């Protein structure tokens, strides 16, 4: 038999919970005022250094009054390595690629150029996006600094807001890091991003694509030679939706556009039954006898004419009427690009590590680790 009634036990339980809540509350206030807030100035300073590295190639922001100048542009070599089919240099100045000069040895690309030079700066939008995320993080830290008088406010509301603000801060840091790691926006790369051929010398045709982007703190260049698909209906594009015939076929096959149009796709093959059931409008190969065969071979009798006609039809079908690719090739290889349907004939990918971007990424990684630990501790205390 219990020494306490149910009501007394409940009162005791509530008392213990209240004591624990008050203790957690005191620990949270101590954590914020004595541990987290003192770190904010150093975190802000590190974030400003990251921003300056991205935009000005230097830890310090340019200040003519104090004779502080912008850092020098970052000049990097680019090479395809042992294959030796591309060599040159690339220069990044802040958020722009300002110079790009290469020599190329490639069967398809050499039909257009052997040496290529960038005439106009190209914006690296990932640098802009990363810098915007850093600016957002600095603003959030300044807002979090206002939690110094947290003891006098509504605890539950304030604690919830504190957690939310720290989560937003962590998300901003992670966004900045991610933009230095890979292009998450499809609009930044092929096939959604269209190359401006007039930016280069010689001017590039619309069947040459060049992408500049960041990947793992490296500046990457993807150079592609494309062949335009003209065979019907595979090369058709709906003027109202911008979708190609192949896009619509893929939609019917439930193939995700991202994997269908990915330049690094798996090259997944489909069974002939799947292709046949969907691609019902596959270009047909004319068959049957040519009415003019008899005129072409007048000296032969009807039997000979029939054999000659069959031979002639087969030969012509093989030479000029057979599609370049089968339905499976069209579905797996066609890409909608710049209001065209294309296939990639050749592709060269090169990259070069940018030491300034590496330094920026390392600092962001350390800040992310620190903020993650703060957030974990706060959540443990708030419950």
């Amino acid at each position: 038999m219990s020494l306490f009634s149910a009501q007394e036990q409940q009162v005791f339980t509530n008392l213990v919970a209240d004591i624990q809540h008050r203790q957690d509350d005191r620990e949270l206030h101590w954590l914020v005022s004595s541990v987290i807030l003192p770190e904010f100035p150093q975190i802000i300073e590190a974030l400003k250094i990251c921003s300056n590295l991205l935009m000005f190639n230097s830890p310090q922001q340019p200040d003519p009054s104090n004779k502080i100048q912008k850092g020098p542009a970052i000049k990097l070599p680019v090479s395809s390595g042992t294959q030796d089919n591309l060599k040159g240099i690339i220069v990044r100045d802040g958020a722009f690629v300002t110079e790009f000069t290469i020599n190329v040895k490639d069967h398809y690309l050499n039909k257009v150029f052997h040496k290529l030079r960038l005439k106009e700066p190209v914006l690296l939008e990932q640098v802009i996006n990363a810098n915007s995320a850093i600016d957002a993080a600095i603003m959030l830290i300044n807002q979090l600094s206002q939690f110094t008088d947290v003891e006098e406010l509504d605890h539950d509301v304030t604690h919830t807001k504190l957690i939310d603000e720290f989560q937003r801060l962590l998300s901003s840091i992670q966004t900045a890091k991610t933009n230095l790691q890979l292009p998450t926006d499809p609009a930044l790369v092929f096939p959604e991003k269209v190359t401006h051929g007039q930016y280069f010398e010689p001017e590039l045709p619309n069947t040459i694509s060049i992408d500049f982007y960041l990947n793992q703190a490296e500046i990457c260049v993807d150079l592609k030679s494309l062949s335009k698909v003209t065979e019907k209906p595979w090369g058709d594009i709906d003027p109202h939706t911008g979708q190609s015939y192949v896009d619509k076929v893929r939609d019917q096959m439930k193939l995700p556009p991202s994997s269908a149009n990915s330049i690094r796709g798996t090259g997944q093959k489909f069974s002939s039954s799947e292709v046949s059931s969907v691609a019902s409008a596959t270009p047909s190969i004319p068959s049957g006898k040519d009415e003019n065969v008899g005129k072409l071979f007048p000296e032969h009798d009807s039997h000979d004419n029939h054999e000659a006609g069959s031979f002639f039809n087969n030969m012509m079908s093989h030479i000029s009427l057979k599609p370049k690719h089968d339905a499976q090739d069209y579905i797996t290889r066609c890409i909608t690009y710049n209001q065209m349907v294309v296939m990639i004939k050749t592709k060269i990918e090169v990259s070069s590590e940018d030491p300034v971007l590496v330094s920026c990424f390392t600092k962001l990684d350390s800040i992310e680790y620190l903020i993650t630990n703060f957030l974990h501790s706060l959540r443990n205390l708030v419950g």
Side-chain angles (χ1 to χ4, degrees):
M1 182 176 178
S2 175
L3 298 177
F4 302 98
S5 66
Q7 184 177 3
E8 289 173 331
Q9 288 180 347
Q10 184 61 45
V11 170
F12 178 76
T13 300
N14 292 341
L15 179 61
V16 171
D18 184 63
I19 293 173
Q20 183 63 50
H21 180 74
R22 290 175 181 271
Q23 177 64 26
D24 289 345
D25 197 51
R26 284 193 294 269
E27 289 185 15
L28 185 142
H29 296 156
W30 174 84
L31 178 66
V32 171
S33 61
S34 301
V35 178
I36 296 178
L37 289 178
E39 292 288 342
F40 278 176
Q42 291 184 343
I43 295 175
I44 290 176
E45 180 64 23
L47 288 173
K48 287 182 177 179
I49 289 175
C50 289
S51 177
N52 293 335
L53 287 172
L54 288 176
M55 304 306 295
F56 308 117
N57 315 319
S58 169
Q60 293 180 299
Q61 186 171 351
D63 184 359
S65 62
N66 292 321
K67 298 182 179 180
I68 300 176
Q69 298 181 347
K70 182 179 180 180
I74 314 301
K75 186 175 182 179
L76 304 168
V78 287
S79 172
S80 55
T82 56
Q83 295 182 2
D84 197 33
N85 54 0
L86 186 149
K87 286 185 177 180
I89 60 105
I90 187 169
V91 177
R92 180 184 67 84
D93 190 1
F96 291 89
V97 173
T98 55
E99 293 183 40
F100 179 65
T101 304
I102 54 171
N103 292 296
V104 174
K105 296 178 182 178
D106 180 85
H107 172 72
Y108 294 106
L109 293 172
N110 286 157
K111 293 180 180 180
V112 181
F113 63 87
H114 289 79
K115 184 175 182 179
L116 186 67
R117 182 179 70 87
L118 181 67
K119 295 194 302 181
E120 301 288 339
V122 173
L123 177 65
L124 292 169
E125 293 187 38
Q126 288 169 262
V127 174
I128 298 295
N129 295 340
N131 189 64
S132 297
I134 290 172
D135 289 343
I138 293 174
M139 182 180 67
L140 285 168
I141 291 176
N142 288 328
Q143 292 176 359
L144 284 167
S145 299
Q146 300 173 5
F147 283 91
T148 52
D149 298 328
V150 68
E151 295 184 19
E152 300 177 4
L153 303 176
D154 185 328
H155 286 180
D156 291 338
V157 173
T158 302
H159 294 171
T160 300
K161 184 179 179 182
L162 184 66
I163 297 295
D164 290 344
E165 292 295 303
F166 262 93
Q167 183 58 59
R168 290 175 58 197
L169 173 59
L170 180 61
S171 296
S172 294
I173 300 298
Q174 291 171 338
T175 298
K177 273 187 57 181
T178 300
N179 273 282
L180 300 183
Q181 286 180 300
L182 73 163
T184 56
D185 185 355
L188 299 181
V189 292
F190 178 91
E192 292 194 24
K193 185 174 180 63
V194 176
T195 299
H196 297 287
Q198 68 273 21
Y199 284 12
F200 298 87
E201 183 181 319
E203 184 170 332
L204 299 176
N206 60 4
T207 53
I208 300 293
S209 167
I210 300 182
D211 285 329
F212 299 94
Y213 60 92
L214 306 183
N215 186 6
Q216 303 302 323
E218 295 182 347
I219 298 182
C220 301
V221 183
D222 280 7
L223 179 60
K224 302 179 188 67
S225 175
L226 312 171
S227 61
K228 186 175 180 180
V229 175
T230 57
E231 294 81 13
K232 290 184 175 295
W234 306 104
D236 294 345
I237 292 183
D238 189 326
H240 302 292
T241 65
Q243 275 194 316
S244 68
Y245 174 79
V246 177
D247 292 332
K248 294 179 180 179
V249 170
R250 290 193 184 111
D251 287 344
Q252 294 179 34
M253 297 178 71
K254 308 300 182 184
L255 183 64
S258 59
S259 63
N261 276 350
S262 173
I263 60 175
R264 294 182 176 84
T266 59
Q268 178 184 0
K269 295 290 184 179
F270 299 93
S271 66
S272 58
S273 60
E274 287 178 313
V275 174
S276 300
S277 63
V278 179
S280 57
T282 304
S284 59
I285 303 174
S287 59
K289 292 189 288 186
D290 192 324
E291 296 179 354
N292 296 321
V293 170
K295 297 179 182 179
L296 293 172
F297 300 93
E299 69 277 16
H300 294 282
D301 58 21
S302 59
H303 176 72
D304 291 335
N305 284 345
H306 175 75
E307 291 183 350
S310 298
F311 172 77
F312 181 77
N313 283 336
N314 290 337
M315 180 182 67
M316 290 303 297
S317 294
H318 178 74
I319 293 175
S320 61
L321 302 179
K322 183 179 179 180
K324 295 180 180 179
H325 306 280
D326 59 24
Q328 185 168 304
D329 286 332
Y330 285 113
I331 292 173
T332 57
R333 294 181 57 195
C334 281
I335 301 169
T336 304
Y337 167 74
N338 194 18
Q339 300 180 336
M340 302 183 295
V341 179
V342 299
M343 290 186 181
I344 298 175
K345 291 192 295 186
T346 188
K347 176 172 64 174
I348 301 177
E349 298 174 302
V350 293
S351 62
S352 189
E353 186 176 86
D354 187 323
V356 174
L357 295 181
V358 171
S359 176
C360 181
F361 182 86
T362 302
K363 286 180 172 59
L364 289 172
D365 194 53
S366 299
I367 295 171
E368 180 192 25
Y369 178 78
L370 185 61
I371 299 300
T372 299
N373 286 339
F374 286 163
L375 186 58
H376 179 71
S377 298
L378 290 171
R379 281 175 170 162
N380 285 341
L381 292 173
V382 171

